[in-house]
Amino acid sequence: MTNVIVAFSKAEDAKNIKNILMKNGFFVSAVCTSGAQAVNSADELGSGVVVCGSRFADMVYQEVYECLPPGVEMLLVASPSQWTGRAPDDMVCLGLPLKVQDLVSTLGMMLETIARKRKKLKSQPKERSREEIETIQQAKELLMERNHMSESEAHRYIQKCSMDSGTNMVETAQMIVSLINQ
């Protein structure tokens, strides 16, 4: 589930937007009335979308946007005259007067995009550190020496043991090294 933070300077506006989103199936993690509250909530949650107005008592939308952590996107709800030509390219803007269907469909698309990005990042293999690569190489060399395996056989053996035991290859290689060196 992706976090949604609603931030408007008027508490009544924030509450109304929250209610609209909740009625349409979105989970609102936080409701804020200042830019600082929105940034703090985004820092705590780490990812999601901030749905906000253009001005707060303590900052404007651009300052809030610049303070957001990576992984948090902004949906600005304001008069087009307030953001035309000034909003960053990766910020999504909806003009006032706001139509409920526009808000719901835009937020839905943003959350789908975030989920797709997250899934894509998860599916990419994690880069191994030099120490991890050396541990795997050491385990392969020990298997090749003791069990007379080729490098590809040793690699497949570590992979299979890793899958069978439910551990990653580095942990499996560490176990092999420690067992053989006893």
Side-chain angles (χ1 to χ4, degrees), residues 59-172:
M59 54 178 78
V60 295
Y61 74 91
Q62 289 169 317
E63 294 169 311
V64 173
Y65 177 79
E66 290 166 4
C67 294
L68 292 176
V72 178
E73 296 187 16
M74 181 181 276
L75 172 56
L76 176 65
V77 179
S79 170
S81 64
Q82 293 177 319
W83 49 263
T84 304
R86 289 182 290 209
D89 291 337
D90 56 346
M91 182 189 300
V92 179
C93 303
L94 280 176
L96 292 174
L98 182 64
K99 294 179 185 157
V100 172
Q101 192 54 43
D102 288 346
L103 174 65
V104 169
S105 62
T106 302
L107 183 59
M109 286 187 288
M110 290 177 75
L111 295 177
E112 279 182 42
T113 302
I114 290 171
R116 220 176 300 121
K117 284 179 187 175
R118 193 178 292 149
K119 187 176 180 182
K120 187 177 179 181
L121 282 174
K122 242 183 196 177
S123 68
Q124 291 178 343
K126 192 175 89 174
E127 296 257 341
R128 291 196 173 102
S129 68
R130 198 171 86 225
E131 293 82 26
E132 292 172 331
I133 292 169
E134 289 172 1
T135 301
I136 293 170
Q137 188 60 38
Q138 184 181 6
K140 283 196 271 186
E141 288 170 2
L142 288 169
L143 288 169
M144 289 163 46
E145 181 183 313
R146 277 191 103 198
N147 298 0
H148 309 290
M149 295 178 170
S150 68
E151 183 178 6
S152 63
E153 290 171 331
H155 186 82
R156 271 182 282 173
Y157 178 80
I158 295 170
Q159 276 183 322
K160 182 167 181 355
C161 289
S162 171
M163 287 187 285
D164 290 346
S165 65
T167 59
N168 66 40
M169 279 188 61
V170 177
E171 291 175 89
T172 304

Side-chain angles (χ1 to χ4, degrees), residues 26-46:
F26 295 102
F27 176 73
V28 177
S29 305
V31 177
C32 308
T33 55
S34 74
Q37 287 175 338
V39 171
N40 286 339
S41 295
D43 283 338
E44 288 174 16
L45 298 172

